[in-house]
Amino acid sequence: MKSPKRTTLCLMFIVIYSSKATLNWNLESTIRPLSLHEYEPADEEAPRQKRAVATKSPTAEEYTVNIEISFENASFLDPIKAYLNSLSFPIHGNNTDQILSINVTTVCRPAGNEIWCSCETGYGWPRERCLHSLTCQEHDVFLPGHHCSCLKELPTKGPFCLLQEDVTLNMRVRLNVGFQEDLMNTSSALYRSYKTDLETAFRKGYGILPGFKGVTVTGFKSGSVVVTYEVKTTAPSLELIHKANEQVVQSLNQTYKMDYNSFQALTSNETKFSVTPEIIFEGDTVSLVCENELLSSNVSWRYEEQQLEIQNSSKFSIYTAVFNNMTSVSKLTIRNITPGDAGEYVCKLILDIFEYEGKKKIDVMPIQILANEEMKVMCDNNPVSLNCCSQSNVNWSKVEWKQEGKISIPGTPETDIDSSCSRYTLKADGTQCPSGSSGTAVVYTCEFISAYGARGSANIKVTFISVGTYHCIFRYKNSYSIATKDVVVHPLPLELNIMVDPLEATVLCSGSHHIKCCIEEDGDYKVTFRMGSLSLPAEKEVNKKQVCYKHNFSANSVSWCSKTVDVYCHFTNAANNSVWSPSMKLNLVPGENITCQDPILGVGEPGKVIQKLCRFSNIPSSPDSPVGGIITYKCVGSQWEEKRNDCIFAPVNSLLQMAKALIKSPSQDEKLPTYLKDLSISIDKAEHEISSSPASLGAIINILDLLSTVPTEVNSETMMHVLSTVNVILGKPVLNTWKVLQQRWTNQSSQLLHSVERFSQALQSGDSPPLSFFRTNVQMSSMVIKSSHPKTYQQRFVFPHFDLWGNVVIDKSYLEKLQSDSSIVTMAFPTLQAILAQDIQENNFADSLVMTTTVNHNMTMPFRISMTFKNNSPSGGKTQCVFWNFRLADNTGGWDSSGCYVEEGDGDNVTCICDHLTSFSILMSPDSPDPSSLLGILLDIISYVGVGFSILSLAACLVVEAVVWKSVTKNRTSYMRHTCIVNIAASLLIANTWFIVVAAIQDNRYILYKTACVAATFFIHFFYLSVFFWMLTLGLMLFYRLVFILHETSRSTQKAIAFCLGYGCPLAISVITLGATQPREVYTRKNVCWLNWEDTKALLAFAIPALIIVVVNITITIVVITKILRPSIGDKPCKQEKSSLFQISKSIGVLTPLLGLTWGFGLTTVFPGTNLVFHIIFAILNVFQGLFILLFGCLWDLKVQEALLNKFSLSRWSSQHSKSTSLGSSTPVFSMSSPISRRFNNLFGKTGTYNVSTPETTSSSLENSSSAYSLLN
């Protein structure tokens, strides 16, 4: 034992020694210590073993040696240090040996009853020493988790304190001053000034840190001013860093306003982050471990995808601990992980001003188990294998087989973990398939289980077919005779389940084409292709579940060409029963006009349209999960172009086929809940695919429609699955798909609404609490009526994403009349009204909810339900309370206001009262008045009566023209003028007839087929344009006769030009408009049979030509009148010629503005929010179109008047007319001197009386001159 009076110091220093000789020390060699002391007691212990550790290599020339010196007098320490510091290196020894450096690393001193061994500046104990030894932390100069500087004992074995590496501290601090953009420019004076001042203050402050090397400002960020900088030093202690920060704040000019509490630091230390398992599958239990050398339990976890701070819950658990006083470990456990949990996870550890983050992004792989979904097994004691394989290479620990069904037929499992496959062998005999159980289905489930909890399963539906034995027993008294007969059932595919390819194809007479028929289940069939009496062999091809029969048809094998033939597949089973497939049409052609060729689609002529099943087209598909639907191609130029894609996404198609099978199943009510659950999960995963596939969306609607007809009760869980599916297909990403879907197929939204109503009526809550369901696009609440006094039914629905809400109230007095245990269900949909409006081609909907309320038992009348709607489009129009009547429009559905009325409306909110239950909403009518209002009825009367009167006027005009034709068309000019008037009247008559017929059909809500609507729009467009172009022809003819006086053109030439302009131009414009818009099915408006405005602006094809013609004709009229009133030299017309020019000018001047003004107001009614006044003016002006043409285009002509008087007057009127003609003392009612004519003359600035007589034609010169001006004769 050591004497208590003795004080011992132990000094370790490092010697770097260089020699060309080989150093033969062992790594653990013992060197006698050097002891410096004043005396040695007799009982002194043996000298302490000292260590010398040499590091060498056979070729090394430098060695590092740790040497320990022990001495008793502490005063020896400083002289030794001073002596070592005074040495000049290198020190040369014998031969070539030399000492490069000697440094003191470790000093051990007594501290009470302990010995504390501390490291000199720039050195520190290795982490292993700190981990397994007691540290004197209060004297530590290092950051926790880094090397420690002091131990409470001298280690029995090296190494000692080691030279510390530099640490870079990435730090930042905030200056509470305004941020200036110049701080982002490293060359600006402001940036350099800030950088210089800050670095000077930082060097003064951080210079106290051990091993300080330097500090650099790296940049500035906004948020006041955030300074980022780097400090290079050895690992300092927190206490020293705080002192340094205080020194920095004191050293910096106060104008910088540095915030002391804003200092933050990140060291170069990296957090260790590990994830188990490395490859994660759906259902696994995943562990994320975050490990750091800092001693802190302040650890938090964050899920970056949702910016969610993770807390302990049933899904997540967090455990944090500090191990061995050196390491902080935090473990996040995620149970039953799903693809929705994939993303980046962040582990953050905070210690004082230091923050450490570790990030890890994890992916969750889905598990797919492949198996035949359905099989048929004969109960004949022959082995049959059911196979399941995992598509993913997962470390499966075991595979379990289960079965569920009315009969139990166990099998033998065999699992090959390496191949991720399992086999289940069945051997069914007659005893396991009792009599009457033939056709019984048993569902076998293979479930793969991983070491981390992931589970993947697949169901195989096995239908057992009995080899039935029928007994025939004859009894007579006490004797009987028995005869037995075994019956075997032989399957045969249904015609609907046979898929053919091609549906239609063109085959060259010298070419060939592959034809095939496919079924989903293999069977013992004999298959041939039949073409009339010709039988063709079939080659069988099996591709997983799909079985196809093929034949390469060669047109040379038949003796005919240029003919269309039908080809069928003929399936025959072992019982000699047979079934025929749908037909395949093959068009055999010589091939002169063939331009399109494709190995899959075949050949075709330009414009040829063919349809092909999507599974047999170029659409990617898998035999296990084929796509459904039909795709349409058109031959354009030399390429087949896709015209319409009605393909159904493969998983949705599989669900559709399963739904069709389910409704035919005798156990449909048992299978329905499971199916709806699978449907909800699948649709949620396939939302992106559905949003890009209208046919898939339509298939989902058909599925819900089919399943809603299953006669069974629906529980709360099943209803939630239904609403989850509806929530997806009514979401905003799918709204554009709805628009395309409703252009292709009508009644889809009504079908969906009807399906949801049927499900809600089948809901039975039982003893469970009333169901509530709240999602983004659908909400539901319910209540069960008890026999005791029921409460008032009140429900409120709020959709913050759409800024919509609604209330439903049913007074308890009406609920008392309902049957006990009745369920009242209300659902609200924020997007359904817009979808329904697209389906019925109306745009008078309001931005409000659709709320559906149903009762699962019959109601007693009277009944009253009150609903309040938030209306986001309150301005303009009349508000209506309506319900969706599924019987309207030939059972396609429409809004109906029967039994509903508005109780209160304050703009934003509308309260409705109805006396029945179904789906309700509100409508606004911004474009036109309420049809049921007095003003709406008056407008309809004006429209129908006015257009009818116009048609009668036009018909009268044509009759008058027919009567007087010979009398008024004796010269070329008069002939062309009356030709124009007749064609104007005829065109307007036909257009108005089309218009009034189509309007009457639509107003009475009869279905007008799309093709008929397109045809009606085309003819209305064409004939209305013809009216304007014939008006243009009349104007150009006037201009021609006035300007080109001496130029003569034959009647036939003028007539040809007039008809080309009057009908050719409108026809070209109408055909181009139809061809440009109809392929996209946007030619007509959604609510009326007229040119589209919202989607394609096709209405401009009418508006622009009409308005141009109005401007041109008015210009011509002004020019003509000006020229007549101020003729040039030699052009002064005679009195009767001037009268003729005025007459035709007035016809054009009156009719052109009338037509232009009428359709000017008509075009304004197209736009939403048009004032009601424009509708009324348009309807009134429509009345006068036909009448004005009759008056100003026909009866205003003096020649017409005279012809009519000559035709129909009595002898005394004829005598009187002769006198008036010769003496000018009497004037017809429509003559120029009549009061009526004088009023119209005043419109053109000319008054007076004109007696128009027939111009003389005694000479050719006079004829030429008069014909140039007298255009009406």
Side-chain angles (χ1 to χ4, degrees), residues 32 68 137 177 179 201 253 492 547 570 671 673 731 768 778 803 992 1003 1015 1204 1250:
R32 302 297 297 178
E68 175 187 337
Q137 293 180 3
V177 296
F179 185 82
N253 191 318
L492 196 64
V547 181
H570 187 239
K671 298 178 180 179
S768 59
V778 58
D803 190 26
N992 282 345
D1003 285 348
L1204 288 174
Y1250 295 91

Side-chain angles (χ1 to χ4, degrees), residues 684-699:
D684 186 56
K685 292 180 179 179
E687 180 179 4
H688 176 72
E689 289 77 9
I690 295 168
S691 64
S692 59
S693 173
S696 298
L697 175 60

Side-chain angles (χ1 to χ4, degrees), residues 1060-1208:
C1060 287
L1061 186 62
Y1063 290 122
C1065 291
L1067 181 63
I1069 294 173
S1070 301
V1071 170
I1072 291 173
T1073 305
L1074 179 67
T1077 57
Q1078 183 55 26
R1080 293 178 290 155
E1081 298 184 355
V1082 285
Y1083 177 59
T1084 63
R1085 296 183 68 186
K1086 295 175 182 176
N1087 54 337
V1088 292
C1089 293
W1090 185 227
L1091 296 174
N1092 190 298
W1093 174 257
E1094 293 85 0
D1095 300 313
T1096 59
K1097 304 295 185 290
L1099 184 60
L1100 294 176
F1102 172 75
I1104 292 177
L1107 295 178
I1108 290 175
I1109 290 172
V1110 169
V1111 173
V1112 170
N1113 271 8
I1114 291 176
T1115 304
I1116 289 174
T1117 303
I1118 295 173
V1119 170
V1120 168
I1121 294 175
T1122 303
K1123 192 167 182 65
I1124 293 174
L1125 294 177
R1126 298 178 181 178
S1128 59
I1129 298 175
D1131 287 344
K1132 184 175 181 181
C1134 63
K1135 188 175 182 179
Q1136 68 227 26
E1137 293 166 346
K1138 184 180 293 187
S1139 173
S1140 300
L1141 283 173
F1142 266 115
Q1143 188 163 346
I1144 189 171
S1145 300
K1146 284 187 285 185
S1147 297
I1148 298 174
V1150 172
L1151 294 180
T1152 299
L1154 174 65
L1155 290 175
L1157 194 62
T1158 300
W1159 283 103
F1161 282 106
L1163 293 176
T1164 61
T1165 63
V1166 172
F1167 304 103
T1170 303
N1171 195 290
L1172 185 60
V1173 174
F1174 292 97
H1175 289 268
I1176 298 174
I1177 295 175
F1178 176 57
I1180 294 174
L1181 289 177
N1182 248 333
V1183 174
F1184 294 104
Q1185 284 188 102
L1187 178 62
F1188 277 32
I1189 289 174
L1190 174 64
L1191 294 177
F1192 298 104
C1194 182
L1195 297 180
W1196 204 358
D1197 188 348
L1198 187 60
K1199 288 292 185 181
V1200 173
Q1201 298 173 30
E1202 292 176 351
L1204 288 174
L1205 289 173
N1206 291 333
K1207 194 84 173 175
F1208 299 107

